[in-house]
Amino acid sequence: MKKTLIAFLLAAVPTFAFAAQESQLALAEGDFAEQRAEIEEDLADGKTYAEINNRDRAEVREALDRISRELEGVDSVAELAEPAKVTVFNEQERINTILTQAKADSRLVCDHSRPTGSHRRVTKCQTVAERRRRMEADQDHLQRNIQNGIGPANN
């Protein structure tokens, strides 16, 4: 997955950035089908993109469908009309943005610490997104307590 979308991006960028080099790009429909299958597999495995929400998951699948429709019956992106090339590029960017963020949020981070009053080390693992949600919930709780007069006075 790591190199799939990156390879697709690197293959597509020269077409849009350098129109004179269009003949160098050859993204066959079969190549995209392989990339799409790998993305679908990663979405379904429950680990690679564990933190992706259902709305984003659906948006990725819809974008993949739109790219598939544009690539139907062509051997390379170079054969597409300019509006179709732009559509493919934009959908690819949308997919890359969603999946990159989801992968970063799904990264597991472990903390080794000793609870207060104990000599035994405890390992606690959470995804980056879980840690962020916990921190935000703790901050909200503290803010509500301060507003209700429970806790340290405001300076």
Side-chain angles (χ1 to χ4, degrees), residues 11 23 31-32 97 109 111 126:
S23 61
D31 293 340
F32 174 72
T97 301
V109 178
D111 180 37
Q126 294 177 310

Side-chain angles (χ1 to χ4, degrees), residues 13-154:
V13 168
T15 300
F16 302 105
F18 307 103
Q21 296 179 356
E22 279 185 29
S23 61
Q24 294 180 358
L25 180 65
L27 178 65
E29 186 178 344
D31 293 340
F32 174 72
E34 290 174 21
Q35 293 172 352
R36 180 184 181 145
E38 189 174 335
I39 292 168
E40 293 282 356
E41 183 180 316
D42 287 344
L43 284 172
D45 73 7
K47 295 178 184 175
T48 307
Y49 300 111
E51 289 295 331
I52 192 170
N53 62 41
N54 289 333
R55 183 181 53 82
D56 286 343
R57 194 177 298 270
E59 190 173 337
V60 167
R61 288 193 171 111
E62 290 168 7
L64 289 169
D65 288 341
R66 288 188 289 270
I67 292 173
S68 292
R69 283 193 297 274
E70 293 295 338
L71 292 177
E72 257 178 40
V74 297
D75 292 328
S76 72
V77 174
E79 295 177 15
L80 296 174
E82 241 359 86
K85 287 179 185 178
V86 170
T87 299
V88 168
F89 179 75
N90 288 339
E91 296 302 332
Q92 171 198 342
E93 284 298 309
R94 179 174 291 127
I95 292 167
N96 284 340
T97 301
I98 292 169
L99 295 183
T100 300
Q101 182 61 45
K103 188 159 184 121
D105 284 348
S106 298
R107 187 173 53 91
L108 200 60
V109 178
C110 295
D111 180 37
H112 308 287
S113 61
R114 289 186 179 116
T116 304
S118 174
H119 293 289
R120 191 176 54 134
R121 283 192 163 278
V122 175
T123 301
K124 183 177 180 182
C125 298
Q126 294 177 310
T127 65
V128 171
E130 287 172 334
R131 290 171 61 115
R132 182 176 49 248
R133 285 191 297 267
R134 175 65 188 258
M135 181 186 72
E136 290 168 357
D138 290 348
Q139 287 175 347
D140 288 344
H141 179 72
L142 180 61
Q143 196 68 308
R144 278 193 305 273
N145 285 343
I146 289 172
Q147 289 173 352
N148 292 333
I150 305 169
N154 291 337

